Amino acid sequence: MIQTGDRNSLGEALEERTGGPLALVPTMGALHAGHVALIRHARERGYDVAVSIFVNPMQFGPDEDLDRYPRPLSEDLDLCRSEGVSLVFTPPVSEMVVPASRIRITHPVGSLYCGAHRPGHFEGVLTIVSKLFHLFGPEIAVFGQKDRQQLFLIERMVRELDFPLGIEPVPTVREPDGLARSSRNRYLSVEERALAPLFHAHLVAARNRGLPAHPEDLSRWEGVLFADLVRSGFRPDYVALVSEETFLPPVQMSGPMILLAAVWLGKTRLIDNIELTA
Ligand code: PAF
């Protein structure tokens, strides 16, 4: 396995590569079973897998967890090695962020839901992801469905800006109790970890209750879920039902939809989503 943090060496390694078509798995490190699923997804389909590990400062707000975001690099490299990854790119910020650069890729959906609570977050994600796509030139890039709004925006960016690669989504990997795997789960205290699975359980309960017949009753339906989350000890940022196609509130209650939510549990922000069909 080749590891480099230097863009020139990355270019050389990519030119000298002899493996099959290239798959990129972009990450911020602190790798877990969710990332393993992304790597395996690509390997099982015959791709030579490259992983980028970069905690992207452009996607963190001034009061967010950039400084304390976990960076267990040697464990991450061991995991990549054991999963058969060929190339790991671990750039310092100076290799990826042009000082004072104002270039950003934006989309209106990026300022809704998570974007409304994390201004500039998705612009930072899209900008760095587009840069990674240029640096690697992969045939495919693999992303988890846990970050569903991110996945939607990356798919749109690739489609509308003609990036020459395919985006492959992989279902959320969950703990046996339902909690979606996330690098931030390691922030949870023992008590918070015990409570955390209720987040997913409430989303499933809302789906099981069934959707309202008319879009005008949607905010009341979302409000019930919001109140249930509050009663269980979470502080929700938002709860939103969106059309899978547009990522906007459904104009009629039919077709594939996604129920999205973000909650705080103590000092940890958790996101999750589930699919529904009306
Ligand atoms: O999902 C992530 O880990 C990050 O948002 C990504 C896609 C690696 C961009 O920094």
Side-chain angles (χ1 to χ4, degrees):
M1 185 179 87
I2 295 173
Q3 183 215 339
T4 179
D6 175 82
R7 286 192 303 173
N8 292 331
S9 321
L10 172 69
E12 282 160 22
L14 288 166
E15 265 176 31
E16 286 161 18
R17 221 173 46 83
T18 52
L22 186 68
L24 174 63
V25 178
T27 80
M28 297 207 301
L31 304 180
H32 51 70
H35 298 108
V36 170
L38 307 182
I39 295 168
R40 291 189 182 167
H41 173 94
R43 288 212 67 214
E44 281 157 15
R45 285 156 185 78
Y47 288 93
D48 189 24
V49 178
V51 170
S52 61
I53 298 180
F54 179 60
V55 182
N56 169 27
M58 281 191 269
Q59 67 188 75
F60 287 80
D63 300 325
E64 293 187 351
D65 57 344
L66 175 62
D67 291 338
R68 70 177 183 125
Y69 198 85
R71 290 165 171 88
L73 184 60
S74 73
E75 284 167 41
D76 287 349
L77 293 175
D78 287 347
L79 185 140
C80 287
R81 209 171 285 113
S82 67
E83 290 297 326
V85 170
S86 321
L87 180 55
V88 184
F89 183 47
T90 53
V93 171
S94 56
E95 281 293 280
M96 294 299 285
V97 179
V98 176
S101 168
R102 302 293 302 273
I103 292 284
R104 291 290 184 275
I105 298 186
T106 75
H107 185 285
V109 165
S111 56
L112 305 175
Y113 323 118
C114 278
H117 295 270
R118 304 186 68 190
H121 169 71
F122 288 113
E123 294 185 359
V125 170
L126 293 180
T127 305
I128 214 70
V129 166
S130 70
K131 187 149 177 161
L132 290 168
F133 289 170
H134 289 308
L135 290 174
F136 281 84
E139 266 77 11
I140 64 161
V142 191
F143 293 90
Q145 286 181 329
K146 183 179 78 74
D147 299 290
R148 197 75 191 226
Q149 189 176 2
Q150 166 176 287
L151 176 63
F152 172 87
L153 289 164
I154 291 170
E155 283 174 334
R156 281 293 167 113
M157 176 181 79
V158 163
R159 198 190 321 158
E160 296 184 15
L161 297 183
D162 291 326
F163 278 77
L165 80 159
I167 299 299
E168 305 228 346
V170 171
T172 304
V173 176
R174 297 184 182 280
E175 301 281 4
D177 59 16
L179 176 65
R181 296 294 308 248
S182 162
S183 303
R184 289 187 169 97
N185 289 353
R186 62 184 79 190
Y187 297 154
L188 297 169
S189 68
V190 174
E191 295 74 27
E192 289 164 352
R193 175 64 190 83
L195 197 64
L198 275 178
F199 179 25
H200 178 243
H202 280 305
L203 298 187
V204 173
R207 174 169 64 190
N208 292 345
R209 273 197 293 276
L211 289 172
H214 304 289
E216 52 272 28
D217 297 325
L218 199 52
S219 25
R220 199 157 356 115
W221 184 86
E222 290 167 344
V224 172
L225 170 56
F226 195 102
D228 285 346
L229 287 164
V230 171
R231 254 192 306 278
S232 291
F234 300 99
R235 296 189 320 281
D237 266 353
Y238 70 90
V239 160
L241 185 79
V242 301
S243 142
E244 189 183 288
E245 175 59 25
T246 61
F247 237 77
L248 295 172
V251 284
Q252 49 188 13
M253 300 307 290
S254 63
M257 303 192 202
I258 302 166
L259 177 57
L260 306 165
V263 297
W264 287 90
L265 190 48
K267 293 193 165 126
T268 307
R269 188 173 188 273
L270 304 173
I271 59 172
D272 205 346
N273 68 84
I274 57 172
E275 295 178 353
L276 296 87
T277 304

